[in-house]
Amino acid sequence: VADVDQSTPMTDQERAVLAAIEERREDLVQLASDLIGFDTITHRPGDDPRAEVRLQEHVAGRLEACGAHIDLWEPSGADVAPHRQVPEEYSFVGRPQLIATIAGASSPRRLLFNGHIDVVPVEPIDRWTSPPFQAEIRDGRLFGRGACDMKGGVAAMVFAVETLSLMGITPPTSLVVNTVTDEETCGAGTLASLAHGLSADAAIVPEPTAFSAYVACRGILNLYVHVTGRAGHATVHQPHWRDGGAVNAIEKAAIVMRAVELLREDWSRRGDLAHDVLPPPSIVPTLIDGGEWRVSYPSACRTFYDIAYLPTQVDAGGGGGRVREEIAAWIANGTCHDPWLAEHPPRLEWGNDIPPGHVPPSDAIVQCVLEAGALVRGSASLGGLDAWHDAASLNRVGGIPALAYGVSYQDSDGRSLMHAADEHVLVDDLVACAQVLALSALRFR
Ligand SMILES: [Zn+2]
């Protein structure tokens, strides 16, 4: 935890930059509103592109006017094919990525701002007070899809760079702005940027973190468990299955589910899985699909499990191999007492593995952001994200020390704003986020 007393005092130039961002807050709100106005709902395979090109060109145009070198390109699916976290035969048609670079004054080092421009779908649309892609200010808050996660953060990072440029200030290190697509599904945009040559000495991802420096996030595993039974008339008395009787696949799936529940309880109490800034790993059934007819024993049941695992649980390759083995062994042990399941073991179908990430709190960029956060907001603390975000790829694949730092993710009643109807961000938060990013840019060496 950093507080103002321990920070290097601000220079007159730094004070002037913070004041300029405050004075230009209307422009910042306008930029965030412009970004919200582009429908960039995240890509589902088979969907047409949305307004990704227009948004990226809008950001590129503004940064080019600041003297940035612009690289706006459409990746090929082959660029991300080596990554298990990306579905096979991925396409980026109509969804370009942007890398804009502004040369630094003295240092060969580079500071990266990375943000995703895709947003989650807007349903349930009838819960919105104003149209999700038409930004609206009410009571000091900017409403619209992505206001919080994370077009507000993208606006703040672009605005920080722009303000420095307008004031004629060149920070010591080069500034790299990378706006990407496909974060909400699998992180393909940042992976494609890394494959394209994106590199830096440190990165800040302005995801909503309530002004906490998020130094870690959990990884995600997807699992389908298939259980078979044997069909038969549900209302007709059935003999033992060894004598040809029917077997209820849904009831057998419940045995798997109970075993998984015990694993989750075990994980939540195990000392070796306690983490400084993250909750324990979890495994939760979220979809179930079984049975064929109201009056038949279900012959098959498929259950989807959403799994989150810790950076401390990764295998030698940085992924979830060890976690997969542990889950498979636990399910085998928890179901083998059932004679049917012993002879017809559940089949595990593993889907995406999106590995976790972390950066040491002692790293220069974390200390830099903590200090800048303390100067702008009075204090700053460390934290972590239960879910996943692109900083994990920057750390793990790019070897770039990266953390997330940005606006609040809850309203005053504690309700989550991310992925919610009436998503919004406090305008004051946007201003503070841009100020911390600009100050970090001035101070990073
Ligand atoms: Zn996000």
Side-chain angles (χ1 to χ4, degrees), residues 116 149-150 183-184 207:
H116 66 84
D149 182 12
M150 61 173 286
E183 190 274 346
E184 293 288 0
E207 288 270 11

Side-chain angles (χ1 to χ4, degrees), residues 46-71:
D47 285 2
D48 287 334
R50 292 173 179 266
E52 291 90 348
V53 171
R54 288 197 294 127
L55 187 156
Q56 294 286 46
E57 285 177 347
H58 185 78
V59 172
R62 288 185 73 132
L63 291 171
E64 194 164 28
C66 303
H69 172 265
I70 301 297
D71 189 357

